[in-house]
Amino acid sequence: MHNDTLGQTGVFNLIENQQELGEYNFGTKKESDLGFSGCGIIAVYNLIVSLEEKPSTTISDLIDIFEKRGAVLWGGFGVSAVTIFHYLKKRYGEAGRLFGFNRDRIKAFGDRYDGFIVTVWNDNRAIGKGLHTVCITKSDKGFAAHNIYRRSSSGKWIASDHCDTLYSAIMSISEYEKPVMIIGVKRIKRTEGLL
């Protein structure tokens, strides 16, 4: 069991401050914790919080689920995007995947689904800088990317500004990002039989 205060108070906020979550263990590698390699878990948590009125899943639940199945290199490289897709498909019933970087296909994918998990290269010029997985929410205001390592002028961790399209929200993640896999889900909730 993991230390889990996120979500236990009944107040569910989207997580923007991954770097400050080193006390949450994930995986068995010495440096694997939410602060270092937990972006996939945080992205799934943020998606659940954004789509469900009263989520019953905590960070601790997701760590347990993804440690059993999907931890890449014992958690040192986070969670497999394929495992995230299968988890979300079982949870919500309808989910889709998109590969590639075609602007029109990404825009159409954004119109079709209600919430998104996007895995991107941190820097497509230097793949050694690794991958990052984020949640992109969709509302009447537009699309916003969460947990993108951005701070406001006051130092508070924040999401991206709202964008008109999913493509624009992906482009707001960092200067040199490039999507590897985009997962979209519908708001339909189905929680039995998860991984």
Side-chain angles (χ1 to χ4, degrees):
M1 192 65 164
H2 299 273
N3 171 24
D4 185 17
T5 56
L6 294 172
Q8 285 193 344
T9 62
V11 176
F12 298 94
N13 295 315
L14 298 180
I15 298 170
E16 307 292 353
N17 62 334
Q18 177 180 346
Q19 296 83 343
E20 297 173 358
L21 300 178
E23 75 272 14
Y24 293 88
N25 295 326
F26 167 61
T28 57
K29 283 192 65 116
K30 185 178 179 181
E31 68 277 359
S32 62
D33 56 52
L34 283 192
F36 179 76
S37 59
C39 60
I41 292 171
I42 291 168
V44 171
Y45 178 83
N46 283 345
L47 184 73
I48 290 168
V49 169
S50 73
L51 292 178
E52 298 178 21
E53 190 173 316
K54 294 182 181 179
S56 61
T57 302
T58 64
I59 284 286
S60 180
D61 297 332
L62 292 173
I63 291 170
D64 289 340
I65 288 167
F66 290 121
E67 276 183 338
K68 290 175 185 159
R69 188 171 181 190
V72 178
L73 291 178
W74 306 280
F77 284 173
V79 176
S80 159
V82 172
T83 302
I84 290 173
F85 171 75
H86 289 295
Y87 173 82
L88 293 173
K89 187 166 178 57
K90 287 181 181 180
R91 185 177 190 103
Y92 293 102
E94 185 172 344
R97 291 183 278 194
L98 183 63
F99 301 93
F101 199 48
N102 179 286
R103 180 188 305 242
D104 293 332
R105 289 183 67 209
I106 293 172
K107 284 182 180 178
F109 196 77
D111 292 340
R112 181 173 175 197
Y113 293 101
D114 299 320
F116 308 89
I117 300 289
V118 182
T119 300
V120 298
W121 290 109
N122 283 320
D123 186 338
N124 65 27
R125 303 164 308 158
I127 61 172
K129 292 187 178 178
L131 300 168
H132 187 46
T133 301
V134 303
C135 167
I136 297 181
T137 57
K138 180 178 172 183
S139 70
D140 293 340
K141 295 178 184 177
F143 298 82
H146 299 275
N147 189 34
I148 57 173
Y149 308 142
R150 188 169 298 163
R151 289 184 189 250
S152 68
S153 58
S154 66
K156 180 181 176 187
W157 295 101
I158 59 171
S160 71
D161 293 331
H162 285 93
C163 302
D164 291 340
T165 66
L166 176 61
Y167 179 85
S168 298
I170 292 170
M171 296 304 295
S172 77
I173 294 170
S174 69
E175 188 175 0
Y176 297 107
E177 80 297 311
K178 185 172 183 181
V180 176
M181 181 172 161
I182 305 167
I183 301 168
V185 298
K186 293 278 191 175
R187 198 174 289 273
I188 302 164
K189 184 178 178 186
R190 213 174 89 188
T191 58
E192 64 276 356
L194 301 179
L195 291 183

